[in-house]
Amino acid sequence: MEGKINQPPKLLDKLAGREACCIFRVPQSLVQINEKAYHPEIVSIGPYHYGKEHLEMIQEHKGRYLGAFLDQIGEEHRVGLNNLFQAIAPMEQRIRDCYSETIGLDSHDLIKMMILDGCFIIQLFCVVGRLVDATNYSDDPIFIMPWILTFLMRDLMKIENQIPFFVLQTLVARVPPRNENPSLSMLTLGFFNHLLQRPNKVLEQHIDLEGKHLLDLIRLSFNPSSSSQGESKTSTVVNLIPSARKLHLAGIKFRSRKTDSFLDIKFANGVLEIPAFTIDDFSSSFLLNCVAFEQCYYHCSKHFTTYVTFLECLISTPNDAEFIFNQKLLENYCGTYKEVAHFFNNVGKDVVFDIDKSYLRETFSDVNDYYNNNWHVHWAGFKHTYFDTPWSFMSALAALIVLILTMIQAFFAIFPYIHPPRNPKN
């Protein structure tokens, strides 16, 4: 027992709650729902999945990418492997503090891993960003075989597959500055934009953005605008909202909103505006890993957790999913409506969500207030019954005409009895 008292925990460090600790193992409750979304499929970055057999194919290419990185800056500026070791070695404890588990690598192996993985990522960014001669990579399978680069992008957005951002910054700092060289943030945003497809003017707003790691940087670049954030100071109890079909039947309209971030949701005057979002393998994995990060890291916003909870409320059944897609709020590359509903039903499972601290607190509250207003419900029900289709409208119109004609007929039938005609005087 005395040994247990003095034995520090290894799987979850006793100081894993501090702000410096930002790279976590995904909780098993989440992994069981969708293991593929959290574990790397083609490349290992950092210590958590190092040495796994199915990741060796890309591991073998990291050495030549390190060589290319050194060739790019080494001869002219006298930057060699020893210089990189000297730059990263003093950060060893700071690097270890970033991981929630005790890292079982010695100093040399840990620093070597950071350099190998970091230079691989930077060189990858440089090739895709056309900062190096692309002809040197004209036969490189990583760029010639389309599936590899797509899988790499997805793996680099997984919370268990990260190295600290300051390591990448330190390595990039070894590269002599040039006027045309973009910042590391812009390199990162540009690399992943091949899948995220955002306008350059949006990316340029985040030229100096810094995150704890790559996943966090991309997550932060989607932060909602300041106008839609903020917690209410009222003590009113706020509940989750009904599904999309129920809201529609209560008279709430849905509209696609054009904005820089898909997190910018707005509700006003009975209209719920939601930016269009594409559901595919990359975006679904990205959402899940952002939520997992927010669940583990106390010192960050919970915007993605709020967003997926909001969509989980709206998309309760396949009919809700079909309705949302018909409104052009989501674009589906994941499968059937049933599969989409299943995804959003699962994404919020075992996830802790505090609605009172969420950036959509007022939206949840306003939607519920509108939904619970009896006048809105009755009016919406009337419109749905009599004006939902041209045929129902024509039937209602015909019934109204018949009713009016019947009233006119009844009036002329009754009128002579109420006001009988007077006999003319002789």
Side-chain angles (χ1 to χ4, degrees), residues 246-262:
K246 289 182 179 179
L247 295 178
H248 172 63
L249 292 175
I252 291 178
K253 298 178 181 178
F254 289 78
R255 185 178 299 161
S256 179
R257 186 183 187 199
K258 293 185 178 181
T259 183
D260 293 342
S261 171
F262 59 80

Side-chain angles (χ1 to χ4, degrees), residues 240-252 267 364-378:
L240 298 177
I241 59 175
S243 66
R245 292 286 297 170
K246 289 182 179 179
L247 295 178
H248 172 63
L249 292 175
I252 291 178
F267 179 75
F364 278 107
S365 178
D366 292 344
V367 170
N368 275 321
D369 288 345
Y370 192 98
Y371 177 79
N372 293 323
N373 186 309
N374 289 331
W375 187 88
H376 289 143
V377 175
H378 292 319

Side-chain angles (χ1 to χ4, degrees), residues 26 68 290 362 409:
V26 177
C290 285
E362 294 306 307
Q409 183 182 19

Side-chain angles (χ1 to χ4, degrees), residues 80-107:
L81 194 56
N82 287 336
N83 299 96
L84 300 184
F85 264 91
Q86 291 170 7
I88 302 297
M91 301 178 174
E92 180 189 348
Q93 189 55 52
R94 188 181 171 194
I95 292 169
R96 292 183 185 275
D97 290 343
C98 290
Y99 292 90
S100 63
E101 284 186 11
T102 300
I103 306 303
L105 298 173
D106 62 27
S107 298

Side-chain angles (χ1 to χ4, degrees), residues 128-381:
V128 172
R130 302 185 182 278
L131 299 183
V132 297
D133 188 356
T135 58
N136 295 331
Y137 298 88
S138 58
D139 297 320
D140 193 322
I142 289 178
F143 300 101
I144 295 302
M145 299 181 181
W147 72 272
I148 293 183
L149 192 58
T150 300
F151 274 67
L152 281 174
M153 290 182 180
R154 202 157 68 202
D155 279 357
L156 290 175
M157 283 287 98
K158 295 181 177 179
I159 179 57
E160 294 187 1
N161 217 34
Q162 302 293 320
I163 60 174
F165 195 68
F166 63 78
V167 171
L168 296 175
Q169 289 176 312
T170 302
L171 292 172
V172 166
R174 304 300 102 185
V175 180
R178 298 174 183 172
N179 292 333
E180 68 274 13
N181 278 6
S183 66
L184 178 58
S185 298
M186 286 300 294
L187 270 178
T188 304
L189 293 167
F191 177 78
F192 290 105
N193 206 47
H194 287 267
L195 292 179
L196 293 172
Q197 297 290 306
R198 290 187 285 178
N200 287 333
K201 66 176 184 178
V202 175
L203 304 187
E204 290 168 359
Q205 296 173 13
H206 307 292
I207 189 170
D208 296 318
L209 184 64
E210 293 186 11
K212 296 294 182 180
H213 37 66
L214 297 181
L215 174 66
D216 187 39
L217 186 142
I218 301 298
R219 185 188 71 91
L220 290 172
S221 73
F222 281 101
N223 269 355
S225 62
S226 57
S227 61
S228 63
Q229 297 183 54
E231 303 171 20
S232 173
K233 296 181 180 180
T234 64
S235 57
T236 307
V237 176
V238 179
N239 298 313
L240 298 177
I241 59 175
S243 66
R245 292 286 297 170
K246 289 182 179 179
L247 295 178
H248 172 63
L249 292 175
I252 291 178
K253 298 178 181 178
F254 289 78
R255 185 178 299 161
S256 179
R257 186 183 187 199
K258 293 185 178 181
T259 183
D260 293 342
S261 171
F262 59 80
L263 300 181
D264 271 322
I265 296 171
K266 180 183 177 182
F267 179 75
N269 301 319
V271 179
L272 187 56
E273 297 185 53
I274 304 175
F277 181 72
T278 300
I279 300 291
D280 56 24
D281 289 338
F282 177 81
S283 62
S284 59
S285 176
F286 173 60
L287 281 179
L288 289 169
N289 279 274
C290 285
V291 171
F293 174 66
E294 292 178 357
Q295 289 293 293
C296 295
Y297 191 57
Y298 175 79
H299 310 276
C300 72
S301 62
K302 314 298 179 188
H303 297 333
F304 277 80
T305 303
T306 300
Y307 178 76
V308 298
T309 302
F310 188 84
L311 287 187
E312 181 189 10
C313 292
L314 292 182
I315 306 176
S316 180
T317 67
N319 287 337
D320 292 316
E322 182 178 8
F323 174 78
I324 289 293
F325 287 115
N326 288 340
Q327 299 298 310
K328 303 187 184 302
L329 304 179
L330 292 175
E331 194 169 347
N332 177 23
Y333 293 99
C334 269
T336 65
Y337 296 131
K338 183 179 180 180
E339 289 171 321
V340 173
H342 180 73
F343 170 78
F344 282 106
N345 292 164
N346 281 334
V347 74
K349 263 186 184 176
D350 296 323
V351 168
V352 176
F353 171 62
D354 189 342
I355 195 170
D356 288 320
K357 294 182 179 179
S358 70
Y359 80 100
L360 290 178
R361 183 194 188 280
E362 294 306 307
T363 301
F364 278 107
S365 178
D366 292 344
V367 170
N368 275 321
D369 288 345
Y370 192 98
Y371 177 79
N372 293 323
N373 186 309
N374 289 331
W375 187 88
H376 289 143
V377 175
H378 292 319
W379 173 242

Side-chain angles (χ1 to χ4, degrees), residues 61-117:
H61 287 267
K62 290 180 181 178
R64 69 183 183 88
Y65 273 69
L66 171 61
F69 179 81
L70 292 172
D71 288 344
Q72 181 183 341
I73 61 175
E75 291 184 6
E76 181 180 354
H77 303 282
R78 298 180 181 178
V79 176
L81 194 56
N82 287 336
N83 299 96
L84 300 184
F85 264 91
Q86 291 170 7
I88 302 297
M91 301 178 174
E92 180 189 348
Q93 189 55 52
R94 188 181 171 194
I95 292 169
R96 292 183 185 275
D97 290 343
C98 290
Y99 292 90
S100 63
E101 284 186 11
T102 300
I103 306 303
L105 298 173
D106 62 27
S107 298
H108 181 269
D109 287 344
L110 179 62
I111 301 306
K112 183 174 73 173
M113 173 185 288
M114 292 295 119
I115 293 174
L116 200 60
D117 289 353

